[in-house]
Amino acid sequence: MILKVDGNINRYYVQTLCMVFFPGATFGENEQSGDGVPEVSVNVYPDADGGVTAYVSMKLNDKVCDASASVSGDESVTIATRESIAVGRAMFSAGKELLAHTPPWGILTGVRPAKIAGALIRAGNGITKSKRILRDEYFLNPQKAALAVSVASLEMKILKKAQPKTCSLYISIPFCPTRCSYCSFVSYTTPRLLSLIDPYIEALCSDLDDTFNIIKRLGMRLSTIYIGGGTPTTLSADQLRRLLSCISEHTDTSELAEFTLEAGRPDTITAEKLAVAKEYGVTRISVNTQTLNDDILREIGRRHTAKDFFEAFRLAKESGIKDINVDLIAGLPGDDFRNFSETVDRIIELDPTNITVHTFCVKKAAEVLKSNSNVYSVSGGDAGKSVSYSQIKAKFAGYKPYYMYRQKNTVGNLENVGFAKEGHEGLYNVYMMEETQTIFAIGAGAVTKLVSEKVENGKDRRIERIFTPKYPYEYLREYDLRRTGSPEAKPPVSDEIFAFFKEEGYEF
């Protein structure tokens, strides 16, 4: 699409607003006008009273819609925030008129909508007023405003129980038995790349040694461990035992608040692997079917059937592992409300302790775009109805929404929500979403997130991120350079970590 921005406003923010109405839009420098090519112009100007006014013009084919919005001066709100709100309101009005579509999340574009709701509650607005502000000032529809406040309220209760100087650990297993057509994660499926698993585990164990030494020197206590992917149960039972035994050498897993193994694909789950997980203290696993329609499973590149899922779920229940999560995706290509609602009903009948309902989201690198360029939809088709149904059914089945996040290019601009029975919330998910705890991360594509425990003058916590090499072969190459003492090896991440915590006043 063609985007023109004039004024002191973050261009990336304006692009995210555009994608609310034009999912899948690209913003190349050489875009040409023509039929079907959206054109958006944004102008932001300061007002005499310290406020700002934004003007937005949207054009699609022969239709043009203009809108403006002003935000008055307020010393408690930064100029950048005023500009963002003004642009958001003007964009919302113009897009709503142009496309006859009202985005359910209004002008909220961020990954963490519950964070805004939580800030409103902590500012003393209370539940009812916070919902009203989200509806009236951010243009959320009533259902989304209520959802954001509900999630924020439960997250706040969970975070109140968190102890100081605790941290979590994420371990990346970027391998899968097959690649889903919608996936953009760094996961590897070919026999040649799967042959890297053994040396990869060796490298992980080395990084575990280093990471647990760092945690010990900092005087921190490990709260949760999350082994994610990819599909961690792509590992054989013996490979899984090697990894879990390495973890158990460093920490008493029975003292963890939570230990998650994201098993994921039903076709990779066996009784033997689950027995190994249980033996080494895993307390939470995922058995993810996405849908119970075999035709759709085949279309999206899953190698399992609904029957395989039910068998894997049975094995998980019999393993004695405390918590089982099931992932579903609303709005998959070829799916409709009837299919999805039947899937939701059948999953709820199984009574897992956790259900996570995602909305179909397509990244630029996803395979599905090569065969279906029309997967993006601003209205979302049946996705909105499907998501609403899942939330109503979950509520009446005794589940509460405890964490939520959103992504760009999601069908219908909808959300991903985790539901849990009381006392079975996935703690790692909350810590990650709310960014209140340091997350140490190892493995290809993993991101360590160092989080300050200090919150001063209402400002956001100081956060620094440390990225590991994205691909397994790059990760292994770096490991070999360190192991052999090569001068080409990068400085140890411990230097950066200790520098961060030295500024935090830690002594080690």
Side-chain angles (χ1 to χ4, degrees):
M1 68 179 297
I2 298 172
L3 175 62
K4 299 176 182 178
V5 179
D6 183 18
N8 186 29
I9 183 71
N10 184 294
R11 185 179 179 86
Y12 176 75
Y13 169 68
V14 178
Q15 289 177 351
T16 61
L17 285 170
C18 288
M19 292 171 75
V20 169
F21 292 98
F22 305 103
T26 57
F27 302 90
E29 294 293 329
N30 300 314
E31 294 282 352
Q32 300 293 318
S33 297
D35 289 344
V37 179
E39 298 182 37
V40 177
S41 296
V42 177
N43 297 274
V44 188
Y45 299 107
D47 294 334
D49 67 351
V52 294
T53 296
Y55 299 90
V56 170
S57 178
M58 278 192 187
K59 178 183 178 184
L60 184 62
N61 300 326
D62 295 328
K63 187 175 181 180
V64 179
C65 293
D66 301 325
S68 64
S70 297
V71 175
S72 60
D74 182 348
E75 292 184 358
S76 66
V77 179
T78 66
I79 293 176
T81 298
R82 289 175 232 162
E83 291 169 343
S84 296
I85 293 173
V87 171
R89 291 176 179 175
M91 186 80 77
F92 182 88
S93 298
K96 181 179 177 181
E97 181 181 353
L98 181 71
L99 300 173
H101 170 67
T102 304
W105 284 98
I107 63 173
L108 289 189
T109 62
V111 172
R112 303 173 178 85
K115 200 168 185 177
I116 301 292
L120 291 172
I121 296 170
R122 285 188 289 270
N125 292 295
I127 300 297
T128 301
K129 187 177 180 182
S130 294
K131 291 179 185 177
R132 186 168 64 249
I133 292 171
L134 290 171
R135 292 196 309 265
D136 297 346
E137 298 185 20
Y138 292 90
F139 303 151
L140 275 65
N141 75 27
Q143 292 77 23
K144 301 308 179 191
L147 175 63
V149 169
S150 294
V151 170
S153 299
L154 188 47
E155 284 183 339
M156 289 166 67
K157 290 180 182 178
I158 292 171
L159 293 173
K160 279 183 180 178
K161 299 176 182 178
Q163 299 297 313
K165 296 192 74 171
T166 56
C167 62
S168 290
L169 172 63
Y170 177 83
I171 301 171
S172 169
I173 307 293
F175 303 95
C176 285
T178 61
R179 188 179 181 87
C180 296
S181 62
Y182 54 79
C183 184
S184 68
F185 283 108
V186 181
S187 55
Y188 296 89
T189 61
T190 67
R192 184 178 69 83
L193 288 169
L194 292 175
S195 70
L196 298 177
I197 291 179
D198 281 330
Y200 185 82
I201 293 173
E202 179 184 333
L204 284 181
C205 288
S206 175
D207 277 348
L208 281 168
D209 292 343
D210 294 340
T211 302
F212 276 102
N213 284 334
I214 290 170
I215 293 171
K216 183 177 180 180
R217 282 191 61 190
L218 290 172
M220 286 184 162
R221 184 173 64 84
L222 191 62
S223 175
T224 71
I225 296 176
Y226 193 105
I227 303 176
T231 305
T233 41
T234 300
L235 274 58
S236 67
D238 287 342
Q239 290 167 336
L240 185 61
R241 180 179 293 278
R242 283 175 55 202
L243 175 60
L244 297 183
S245 65
C246 184
I247 293 170
S248 68
E249 289 173 6
H250 293 284
T251 188
D252 183 351
T253 57
S254 68
E255 294 184 357
L256 295 171
E258 178 182 277
F259 188 178
T260 298
L261 174 68
E262 192 180 291
R265 296 287 195 93
D267 47 313
T268 66
I269 296 171
T270 66
E272 185 182 8
K273 293 178 187 179
L274 293 172
V276 172
K278 173 68 173 174
E279 178 186 349
Y280 284 95
V282 169
T283 61
R284 185 176 184 272
I285 62 171
S286 291
V287 185
N288 300 334
T289 186
Q290 319 301 25
T291 176
L292 292 176
N293 183 296
D294 286 346
D295 291 336
I296 297 172
L297 285 169
R298 192 161 44 249
E299 282 297 313
I300 63 175
R302 306 283 281 197
R303 199 169 60 186
H304 65 86
T305 64
K307 182 180 178 181
D308 295 331
F309 162 74
F310 286 115
E311 174 62 14
F313 189 88
R314 181 187 68 79
L315 293 175
K317 290 281 281 190
E318 292 177 354
S319 73
I321 293 173
K322 174 188 170 186
D323 287 319
I324 304 173
N325 172 75
V326 176
D327 272 11
L328 303 177
I329 301 179
L332 285 167
D335 206 359
D336 57 24
F337 175 72
R338 181 181 64 81
N339 278 329
F340 187 78
S341 61
E342 288 178 359
T343 291
V344 171
D345 292 345
R346 294 173 74 186
I347 295 303
I348 286 177
E349 287 175 3
L350 294 175
D351 198 35
T353 56
N354 297 85
I355 301 173
T356 306
V357 180
H358 300 269
T359 306
F360 179 56
C361 175
V362 181
K363 300 294 187 179
K364 295 290 191 296
E367 193 69 24
V368 70
L369 286 178
K370 298 178 182 178
S371 58
N372 184 359
S373 60
N374 297 315
V375 293
Y376 297 120
S377 169
V378 67
S379 65
D382 280 359
K385 187 178 177 182
S386 297
V387 166
S388 294
Y389 181 83
S390 70
Q391 294 172 4
I392 293 169
K393 288 289 290 190
K395 176 181 178 181
F396 284 102
Y399 295 89
K400 294 182 179 180
Y402 75 95
Y403 95 106
M404 170 174 58
Y405 66 100
R406 295 174 63 223
Q407 297 165 280
K408 292 183 297 183
N409 295 328
T410 297
V411 170
N413 192 35
L414 294 164
E415 66 276 6
N416 308 305
V417 183
F419 302 91
K421 295 291 184 71
E422 187 170 352
H424 295 272
E425 297 83 5
L427 301 180
Y428 174 86
N429 291 325
V430 175
Y431 299 150
M432 176 59 74
M433 281 296 111
E434 285 301 294
E435 299 181 311
T436 59
Q437 185 190 82
T438 288
I439 310 286
F440 295 102
I442 65 170
V447 182
T448 289
K449 188 184 295 184
L450 307 176
V451 181
S452 170
E453 293 183 1
K454 301 174 183 177
V455 183
E456 299 175 353
N457 301 322
K459 295 181 180 179
D460 289 340
R461 296 171 184 267
R462 183 169 72 101
I463 297 175
E464 289 187 14
R465 292 172 173 80
I466 302 173
F467 297 85
T468 59
K470 185 176 182 179
Y471 301 104
Y473 52 83
E474 292 178 335
Y475 175 74
L476 288 171
R477 178 179 182 275
E478 185 61 31
Y479 165 66
D480 285 337
L481 291 175
R482 293 198 316 269
R483 183 174 56 84
T484 59
S486 170
E488 295 181 37
K490 296 177 181 178
V493 296
S494 57
D495 292 352
E496 193 170 344
I497 293 171
F498 289 131
F500 178 92
F501 284 104
K502 186 174 183 179
E503 290 185 34
E504 291 293 298
Y506 275 61
E507 295 182 359
F508 39 84

